[in-house]
Amino acid sequence: MNIHEYQGKQLLKRYGVAVPHGYVAFTEDQAVEAAEKIQTDIKVVKAQIHAGGRGKAGGVKIARSNEEVRAYADELLGKVLVTHQTGPAGKEVKRLLIEEGSDIDKEYYLGIVLDRSSSRVTVIASSEGGMEIEQVAEETPDKIYRESVDPLVGLAPFQARRIAFSIGIPKKLVNKAVKFMLGLYQVFVEKDCSIAEINPLVVTKSGDVLALDAKLNFDDNGLYRNKDILDFRDLDEEDEKEIEASKYGLNYIALEGNIGCMVNGAGLAMATMDIIKSFHGEPANFLDVGGGASKEKVEAAFRLIMSDQHVKGILVNIFGGIMKCDVIAEGIVAATEKIGLTVPLVVRLEGTNVDLGKEILRRSGLNITPAQTMADAAEKIVSLVDQAAGGVAK
Ligand code: ADP
Ligand code: MG
């Protein structure tokens, strides 16, 4: 789960990580009220969306007066911001963070992630803050510093000091930077983060070490024990269909293509998307209905796929193990009875109760194209969708 920058900063503050003083605003009036409470001459108006790259896209404004704060708030609220992380459709700005302008001396990068190859939490830091860390890694990998954390000991103060020295934090501010890093590490561990990224971390001319940005991402599997994090959830930032899917415990991710996929098992779902691509089709979604899905769950999954306007064909690829093919078939029939089937449907069933499943689909009278292998299934759905589009190449 993602949260907004201002929420991340609230959380960081609780753990002793220094952040600029600021307030969230949903309206122009609230933005001005917030600005009145801030002491600095310069105030920063920041669009709150679940995506980075706002600075370059015009989502971070420097205001020199409260009138300017109002003008920027007016400009940003309701605006669709397109950054390199939002995709071409962009995201509508509905909240702003109004905060103190910092007298930045230098920007740094600090991130905490889980390194799967070493199975350890790893701190990544760089003197090159404010830039995309991927770009720094590519162009100047020697400017990236890593510390691997022993899970029993946690991030040790000597490690934090080593990081601070390695990226060139001024000597007299090293202690502040160490406190900052230990606090950030504590948030990461206690709140089950999958990423905690501060870009930029800044040192100011007045000698502070501050988080100017905060990107915190949480492991959904830990949310049951982090109710305070769950309160930060902003449904406006999530895809409606993904919200619906989460109610049924379906693993669903909306994509850009036009072939809806219903698959069981994440591995098979990935392979199905790959094989659609290899036949020059574009999957409309990733959908794993899970191991022991019920008829209702399958029905919900099917409805979800059909509710996507972009879907021009559906591929069902099921390997029945714990999941039984007849349950899948019943779910498909139940869903189509209610909402109809207006696009081509290719079904590949294999495994437990496969004959029974095929029989149920046959008797349903639905216009279903059966397929034997995955390649066969992918080829068929891609060509059916192409035919429906009048044979026009996508
Ligand atoms: P994003 O990563 O989405 O572009 P940031 O929060 O990192 O957004 O802001 C982009 C840039 O704007 C920062 O690198 C920094 O230079 C400047 N900036 C952001 N917040 C402040 C602030 N409170 N005071 C001064 N400059 C800021
Ligand atoms: Mg940033």
Side-chain angles (χ1 to χ4, degrees), residues 5 20 44 46 51-56 60 62 99-102 104 107 130 199-200 212-213:
E5 174 197 2
V44 184
K46 306 181 77 175
R54 297 162 300 166
K56 280 192 196 123
V60 177
I62 308 291
E99 72 178 7
E100 288 173 355
S102 292
I104 303 172
E107 303 194 347
N199 189 20
L212 269 212
D213 193 3

Side-chain angles (χ1 to χ4, degrees), residues 157-170:
F158 81 85
Q159 287 183 298
R161 258 195 307 279
R162 198 152 65 187
I163 297 166
F165 281 118
S166 303
I167 61 174
I169 300 271

Side-chain angles (χ1 to χ4, degrees), residues 272-287:
T272 305
M273 289 162 47
D274 280 349
I275 203 155
I276 289 174
K277 282 257 190 194
S278 82
F279 282 96
H280 308 291
E282 288 292 334
N285 63 277
F286 168 96
L287 172 59

Side-chain angles (χ1 to χ4, degrees), residues 19 40 82 95 117 130 148 175 202 248 255 271 273 316-317 353-354:
V19 298
T40 52
V82 181
R95 309 176 186 201
S117 58
S148 182
N175 284 344
V202 298
Y248 290 93
L255 301 168
M273 289 162 47
V316 174
N317 186 16
N353 294 356
V354 62

Side-chain angles (χ1 to χ4, degrees), residues 287-318:
L287 172 59
D288 165 18
V289 293
S294 63
K295 180 182 145 191
E296 288 69 32
K297 204 164 160 178
V298 172
E299 197 185 322
F302 207 81
R303 263 191 283 122
L304 205 62
I305 295 175
M306 293 284 285
S307 69
D308 180 349
Q309 305 295 323
H310 301 292
V311 167
K312 299 289 178 252
I314 299 174
L315 173 55
V316 174
N317 186 16
I318 300 289

Side-chain angles (χ1 to χ4, degrees), residues 24-42:
V24 64
F26 294 81
T27 64
E28 287 87 342
D29 286 344
Q30 286 176 0
V32 174
E33 265 172 50
E36 282 164 357
K37 288 188 261 182
I38 293 171
Q39 305 300 323
T40 52
D41 291 338
I42 290 182

